[in-house]
Amino acid sequence: MGLAAAQRAVTLGHKVDLIEADGKLGGMAAHFDFSGLSIERFYHFVCKADGPTFALMRDLGISNKMRWVDTSMGYFTHGKTHKWGDPVSLLRYPHLSVIEKLRTGLQMFLATKASGFSRIEHLTAREWIERGSGKSVYQKLWRRLQELKFHEFADEVSASWIASRIKRIGNSRESILKAQLGYIEGGSETLIEAMADDIRRKGGRIYLNTPAERVVVKDGRVSLVQAGGTGFEAQAVISTVPIPLVNHLVPDLPQEWKDKYAAIRNIGVVCLVFKLRKSVTPHFWENIVAEDIDIPGLIEFSNLRPFADTIVYVPYYMPLTQPKWHWQDEQFIDEAFSYIRRVNPAIQPDDLMDARVSRLHHAQPVCEPHFRDKLPCVQTPIRGLQIADTCFYYPEDRGVAESIRYGRMMAEAVSRRLSGTVSHWTDADTGSEK
Ligand SMILES: Cc1cc2nc3c(=O)[nH]c(=O)nc-3n(C[C@H](O)[C@H](O)[C@H](O)COP(=O)(O)OP(=O)(O)OC[C@H]3O[C@@H](n4cnc5c(N)ncnc54)[C@H](O)[C@@H]3O)c2cc1C
């Protein structure tokens, strides 16, 4: 979001300083060196609905880097993987009755066709699924997945958030039977580096290893960002750091705003990536529902983006209050590898070539019903200061395309303000409903 905002602002003719705390650009989409392989710390795929990503890639002249692949989904339960994710697989699935299958199929189909989800905004995901597909379907298909991702918040997640996810992925299809997902050749880094190159080429400056420490406010408007021991003067500041960090960064915000930011909850993720000699599953995404397997699924990324070896990600989402958050990397690797071997018993210990663990404190906002009403406006009461993170595009789930869209909107709002096109900041400046 920050990169997209900076790229748009510099393109619109502004002088831009991009301040990044990490030693690498890209945030959640950043790469790392996995024993000689440059790959995302957290798996990333592209959906057909990701319009803002395609528009930006066109602007940057890298549209030719987009690749589309026929992918499939599996569902591991009762000791066996079943094909999943299309009507025929649903009809063949042995652990639901005919009525349960019909109700599930209809609810998923309607979600992919809906133009919006305001009608179900008051419901939790559980209530919506229980009403549409039935309580037994929630128990059989969804409960474990929700609990393993959201833990104590599992029953609080909103229906419109989950329906938006189903819609985004459900609509990434070539035909009713064939799902297609995309990747960028070279990974997310290709896009990140193209944005960074464009920013630099147009005169923007990028500072790595420079954590913003404080946004300084003078006479009700931003004047300076203190970061990495330096002061960056600014007429406008766009903050795209995770919302839980904002109150510390901007102590001058009114208490009412701080309370709103403090009420936004996030969970973390511990994400493992394995390099293996053998394939685990023919599917890109394998959901796992088994009471004695504590992961909601695994992602065989090399079934999307080809690599010399098999690449499998295993995400452990959890609130930081979970005792497991404090596990050592080796504990996670041992447990996750044992689960991989449960899914495919042909995998032997010596098939494990390498494994890495990445942790993120703020990986996923927890969005309850009517979440939008609880969000503060993007434009803060401090003139020149806009603040957003991935939860601002609720009910859409966090994703690269939406972060790009938001970053660009915020840059355009700054541009209109500084050029005097609007005399006051308005919500419309951000294109947001807030
Ligand atoms: C496991 C996982 C899988 C995902 N899979 C997909 C996927 O398949 N497809 C998809 O589209 N999206 C996916 N996403 C989501 C996607 O990565 C995010 O939506 C997107 O990258 C968010 O970008 P952002 O810039 O809004 O936020 P972030 O990436 O969180 O960026 C925030 C930035 O702020 C920086 N920062 C923090 N504090 C400071 C400070 N004090 N000063 C300066 N900088 C600071 C951080 O270092 C970071 O670079 C996934 C995310 C995760 C965690």
Side-chain angles (χ1 to χ4, degrees):
M1 193 185 290
L3 273 162
Q7 191 272 343
R8 187 71 188 132
V10 83
T11 303
L12 291 168
H14 300 289
K15 278 172 71 180
V16 174
D17 289 327
L18 176 71
I19 301 169
E20 168 56 56
D22 201 4
K24 232 176 161 4
L25 287 172
M28 295 192 215
H31 276 218
F32 79 110
D33 178 2
F34 189 25
S35 46
L37 178 69
S38 174
I39 192 167
E40 289 95 337
R41 287 185 298 165
F42 309 107
Y43 52 92
H44 275 76
F45 60 88
V46 182
C47 287
K48 299 238 163 153
D50 292 353
T53 304
F54 311 138
L56 178 59
M57 288 177 74
R58 261 196 313 276
D59 285 359
L60 296 169
I62 56 166
S63 292
N64 60 343
K65 301 285 185 194
M66 198 58 232
R67 300 281 177 271
W68 293 101
V69 178
D70 294 349
T71 54
S72 62
M73 213 188 270
Y75 199 99
F76 180 85
T77 190
H78 297 79
K80 199 172 162 231
T81 295
H82 305 273
K83 205 168 170 310
W84 193 247
D86 63 72
V88 174
S89 307
L90 181 62
L91 287 173
R92 288 192 177 145
Y93 184 71
H95 303 294
L96 292 177
S97 70
V98 174
I99 299 290
E100 287 171 333
K101 290 176 190 180
L102 291 177
R103 289 183 71 181
T104 301
L106 183 64
Q107 186 170 31
M108 298 303 112
F109 174 77
L110 292 176
T112 60
K113 298 294 167 206
S115 56
F117 296 107
S118 48
R119 209 174 37 81
I120 57 169
E121 185 51 52
H122 59 293
L123 298 176
T124 64
R126 179 182 186 150
E127 289 165 342
W128 176 63
I129 293 161
E130 287 186 345
R131 285 182 192 192
S133 303
K135 286 190 175 185
S136 57
V137 170
Y138 184 81
Q139 284 301 321
K140 289 182 196 175
L141 295 184
W142 292 89
R143 180 187 56 80
R144 185 94 180 126
L145 295 176
Q146 287 289 92
E147 284 175 0
L148 283 173
K149 181 152 186 181
F150 290 104
H151 301 261
E152 60 260 41
F153 304 127
D155 282 347
E156 295 183 38
V157 174
S158 88
S160 53
W161 180 85
I162 207 140
S164 301
R165 269 181 76 116
I166 292 167
K167 181 176 175 178
R168 173 174 178 252
I169 295 175
N171 282 333
S172 202
R173 312 192 75 84
E174 177 69 4
S175 68
I176 191 155
L177 291 179
K178 206 193 272 178
Q180 274 199 338
L181 294 177
Y183 69 94
I184 301 172
E185 202 178 295
S188 309
E189 193 164 61
T190 301
L191 176 59
I192 291 160
E193 287 306 321
M195 279 195 272
D197 287 348
D198 199 49
I199 292 167
R200 292 192 183 101
R201 196 168 40 244
K202 291 172 177 162
R205 292 173 300 192
I206 297 178
Y207 298 86
L208 296 176
N209 297 307
T210 310
E213 290 135 15
R214 178 157 180 198
V215 176
V216 179
V217 178
K218 217 168 151 187
D219 301 329
R221 64 170 309 131
V222 286
S223 69
L224 194 75
V225 178
Q226 286 171 348
T230 314
F232 293 84
E233 281 183 20
Q235 284 178 284
V237 173
I238 294 175
S239 168
T240 64
V241 305
I243 287 299
L245 306 180
V246 160
N247 284 347
H248 179 71
L249 195 60
V250 198
D252 293 320
L253 281 164
Q255 192 56 44
E256 185 200 342
W257 285 70
K258 288 185 179 168
D259 293 344
K260 286 186 178 174
Y261 292 133
I264 295 171
R265 296 168 300 176
N266 266 254
I267 57 172
V269 72
V270 180
C271 189
L272 284 69
V273 53
F274 289 91
K275 198 183 278 186
L276 302 170
R277 290 199 171 81
K278 271 197 210 106
S279 167
V280 181
T281 165
H283 305 296
F284 168 65
W285 195 289
E286 177 110 3
N287 296 295
I288 299 178
V289 172
E291 290 301 329
D292 55 351
I293 298 186
D294 285 339
I295 52 171
L298 51 88
I299 297 108
E300 188 159 325
F301 197 63
S302 41
N303 287 336
L304 174 69
R305 185 177 154 205
F307 295 99
D309 304 299
T310 294
I311 299 290
V312 174
Y313 286 89
V314 177
Y316 283 82
Y317 284 94
M318 65 186 91
L320 272 48
T321 46
Q322 288 289 316
K324 212 169 190 171
W325 180 260
H326 302 287
W327 271 22
Q328 302 294 311
D329 289 358
E330 282 312 316
Q331 289 175 281
F332 280 112
I333 292 170
D334 288 349
E335 184 180 87
F337 189 60
S338 76
Y339 294 152
I340 287 175
R341 296 188 65 201
R342 289 272 303 279
V343 172
N344 184 349
I347 304 283
Q348 296 302 312
D350 62 1
D351 288 322
L352 174 55
M353 299 166 72
D354 201 354
R356 294 298 169 84
V357 179
S358 298
R359 292 164 196 258
L360 200 62
H361 284 74
H362 309 111
Q364 172 82 67
V366 181
C367 303
E368 61 272 17
H370 297 297
F371 182 78
R372 185 182 291 287
D373 298 341
K374 297 174 185 159
L375 276 176
C377 295
V378 176
Q379 171 54 48
T380 68
I382 297 169
R383 283 170 71 81
L385 176 62
Q386 293 183 89
I387 294 177
D389 80 352
T390 60
C391 74
F392 274 70
Y393 38 77
Y394 173 87
E396 290 298 331
D397 187 17
R398 28 125 256 197
V400 168
E402 284 296 305
S403 279
I404 290 171
R405 184 173 70 82
Y406 238 71
R408 286 168 75 92
M409 281 191 328
M410 291 199 286
E412 283 162 13
V414 169
S415 197
R416 282 198 298 279
R417 174 75 185 106
L418 293 183
S419 68
T421 317
V422 286
S423 52
H424 297 287
W425 290 101
T426 66
D427 292 349
D429 278 341
T430 59
S432 158
E433 288 172 49
K434 289 301 299 180

